[in-house]
Amino acid sequence: MPKLNENYQNLKESYLFSEIAHRVAAYTKANPGKKVIRLGIGDVTLPLTPLAVRGLHAGVDAMADSATFKGYGPEQGYGFLRSAIHDYYARNGVQIDADDIFISDGAKSDTGNISELFAADNTILIPDPVYPVYVDSNLMNGKKITYLSGNADNQFLPMPDKQIHADIIYLCSPNNPTGAVYNRAQLTEWVGYALENQAVILFDSAYEAFITDPALPRSIYAIEGARRCAIEFCSLSKTAGFTGTRCGYTIVPRELVFTASDGREMSLHAMWNRRQSTKFNGTSFIIQKGAEAVFSPEGMAQCQENIRYYQENAKMIAETLNRKNIRFFGGIHSPYIWFECPDHMESWEFFDYLLTNAQVVGTPGAGFGKNGANYFRLTAFGSHENTKEAMERFERLF
Ligand SMILES: *Cc1c(COP(=O)(O)O)cnc(C)c1O
């Protein structure tokens, strides 16, 4: 009989989205005439941009011709895409080395897999509330987590506690689920803390393209010293609507070298390269051709049009909450609006209340950690029409 990885017993049942689906199905069945509007999804709805589609077509055509056909590609990704990402960062004023970029099938895999590079006995800081992948991937490997409290007092932007030593720090900015964004001074403090502790920041910038204020950093590498202490994860999922197409990337600077217990130097870049070339055979060439088109100046301008569409939804939601004096976070540099449930309701209680009285579906904050127990997430990924109607119903309700 195999001995199993019993760390899986430490995982909480991941019932958030299945429970939502279950409650919505039960309501719809009992109330067949009512139109339910879903503002709970963390998934894009607009189609791919014309240039991304053109890139994908070019990839397919190349595969149809023996002169340009591609078999296995480099595990790290094709040079054309790595250099397109390098150029995109450079246009945003951030210098990274194209050879430090690893192309993948998305940020979920990479943020989950990265924990393989670290031993079990690190002090790992993870914010609460949080994208559940960071928590579960560490629990699966038997690791202990120290939670960083995100709350209304710190605007859901926890800062380092200088009294506590950390080895690994997860940060996500703009944040899912709260929509909160760290400014330059705050990230500078995190980088300073990481350097002092010889810690590594695992920085998830999946929503960087939603930042509109040029003063806000869109990459951890906009902060001096970050190349010596940070790995960055990003994805085309929210930037370019690639949630179903699948492409992401991880930047592991060569400067990230630490001393092993036997005194030898170990490079995280070399370790990630070894991990990826052992367990991953690269992202599809066709998808990488689509991704290359996304990172051209014109390709990104088309993505920004879609993002603006979502931002208009976020604005509608934010304006409604403002009129109702409901305290919220996010919604400006993020597709997420995170608000306090009215009347001190618990988040699942509020979910039922909103579904029953307004036929609007959102996401209970409890699904993102204990600090989300009295919060609720709405997303801007719906259509203008549905978002407007949902907000009209909301307005009548409170
Ligand atoms: C959506 C999302 C991602 C992207 O995941 P993919 O696997 O690239 O689709 C990464 N991090 C966070 C916090 C997200 O919400």
Side-chain angles (χ1 to χ4, degrees), residues 311-340:
Q311 279 165 336
E312 283 163 24
N313 289 337
K315 193 157 170 251
M316 267 191 261
I317 299 171
E319 283 170 356
T320 306
L321 294 174
N322 268 332
R323 274 196 297 277
K324 295 288 156 185
N325 277 321
I326 296 173
R327 178 149 71 154
F328 69 93
F329 303 86
I332 302 168
H333 305 290
S334 159
Y336 299 124
I337 290 99
W338 177 254
F339 63 92
E340 253 170 352

Side-chain angles (χ1 to χ4, degrees), residues 42-43 104-111 130-134 172-177 204-207 233-238 242-244 246-249 336 377 381:
D43 196 354
S104 72
D105 63 351
K108 187 187 211 178
S109 337
D110 289 356
T111 52
V130 77
Y131 181 54
V133 176
Y134 315 153
C172 175
S173 176
N175 191 269
N176 177 13
D204 187 339
S205 63
Y207 297 92
F233 305 90
C234 199
S235 166
L236 283 77
S237 284
K238 317 305 171 7
F242 268 46
T243 51
R246 311 303 308 140
C247 192
Y249 59 92
Y336 299 124
R377 191 190 77 176
F381 288 128

Side-chain angles (χ1 to χ4, degrees), residues 106-388:
K108 187 187 211 178
S109 337
D110 289 356
T111 52
N113 291 332
I114 198 76
S115 77
E116 284 180 32
L117 305 194
F118 302 104
D121 55 351
N122 283 300
T123 301
I124 302 172
L125 303 185
I126 299 185
D128 173 357
V130 77
Y131 181 54
V133 176
Y134 315 153
V135 172
D136 287 353
S137 57
N138 277 293
L139 293 180
M140 283 172 179
N141 293 328
K143 297 189 173 146
K144 281 198 198 63
I145 296 166
T146 304
Y147 289 98
L148 276 170
S149 178
N151 51 56
D153 291 339
N154 60 26
Q155 309 282 310
F156 288 94
L157 293 168
M159 294 303 297
D161 177 348
K162 303 251 162 61
Q163 311 306 313
I164 295 177
H165 166 79
D167 301 300
I168 295 164
I169 303 150
Y170 285 78
L171 297 177
C172 175
S173 176
N175 191 269
N176 177 13
T178 68
V181 194
Y182 282 111
N183 64 28
R184 183 172 288 272
Q186 289 167 322
L187 285 182
T188 301
E189 196 174 327
W190 271 116
V191 166
Y193 171 79
L195 289 171
E196 233 162 73
N197 281 267
Q198 287 201 296
V200 177
I201 295 174
L202 302 176
F203 190 79
D204 187 339
S205 63
Y207 297 92
E208 60 85 17
F210 283 77
I211 291 179
T212 48
D213 179 350
L216 291 171
R218 293 170 58 165
S219 162
I220 191 71
Y221 304 117
I223 308 299
E224 173 129 18
R227 293 173 63 97
R228 287 180 284 125
C229 67
I231 290 174
E232 180 158 299
F233 305 90
C234 199
S235 166
L236 283 77
S237 284
K238 317 305 171 7
T239 301
F242 268 46
T243 51
T245 310
R246 311 303 308 140
C247 192
Y249 59 92
T250 292
I251 303 167
V252 191
R254 280 161 210 262
E255 287 89 335
L256 295 172
V257 175
F258 297 93
T259 310
S261 54
D262 66 0
R264 289 201 293 177
E265 306 263 270
M266 289 182 84
S267 148
L268 282 173
H269 178 100
M271 288 170 75
W272 185 246
N273 189 45
R274 184 59 193 263
R275 191 265 167 219
Q276 289 298 83
S277 41
T278 301
K279 298 195 184 182
F280 181 63
N281 242 341
T283 302
S284 149
F285 168 76
I286 297 167
I287 301 303
Q288 292 191 62
K289 289 303 283 179
E292 179 190 23
V294 162
F295 287 106
S296 68
E298 254 186 304
M300 199 45 75
Q302 292 183 351
C303 292
Q304 282 296 336
E305 275 176 46
N306 286 358
I307 288 174
R308 266 196 298 279
Y309 179 91
Y310 297 134
Q311 279 165 336
E312 283 163 24
N313 289 337
K315 193 157 170 251
M316 267 191 261
I317 299 171
E319 283 170 356
T320 306
L321 294 174
N322 268 332
R323 274 196 297 277
K324 295 288 156 185
N325 277 321
I326 296 173
R327 178 149 71 154
F328 69 93
F329 303 86
I332 302 168
H333 305 290
S334 159
Y336 299 124
I337 290 99
W338 177 254
F339 63 92
E340 253 170 352
C341 300
D343 301 328
H344 305 288
M345 270 188 252
E346 192 283 322
S347 65
W348 279 107
E349 185 188 356
F350 182 70
F351 175 91
D352 290 332
Y353 178 82
L354 198 61
L355 176 61
T356 312
N357 296 293
Q359 294 77 50
V360 173
V361 178
T363 313
F368 301 100
K370 78 173 170 36
N371 283 8
N374 295 97
Y375 283 84
F376 206 71
R377 191 190 77 176
L378 290 179
T379 82
F381 288 128
S383 67
H384 281 171
E385 298 69 28
N386 279 347
T387 308
K388 184 162 178 282

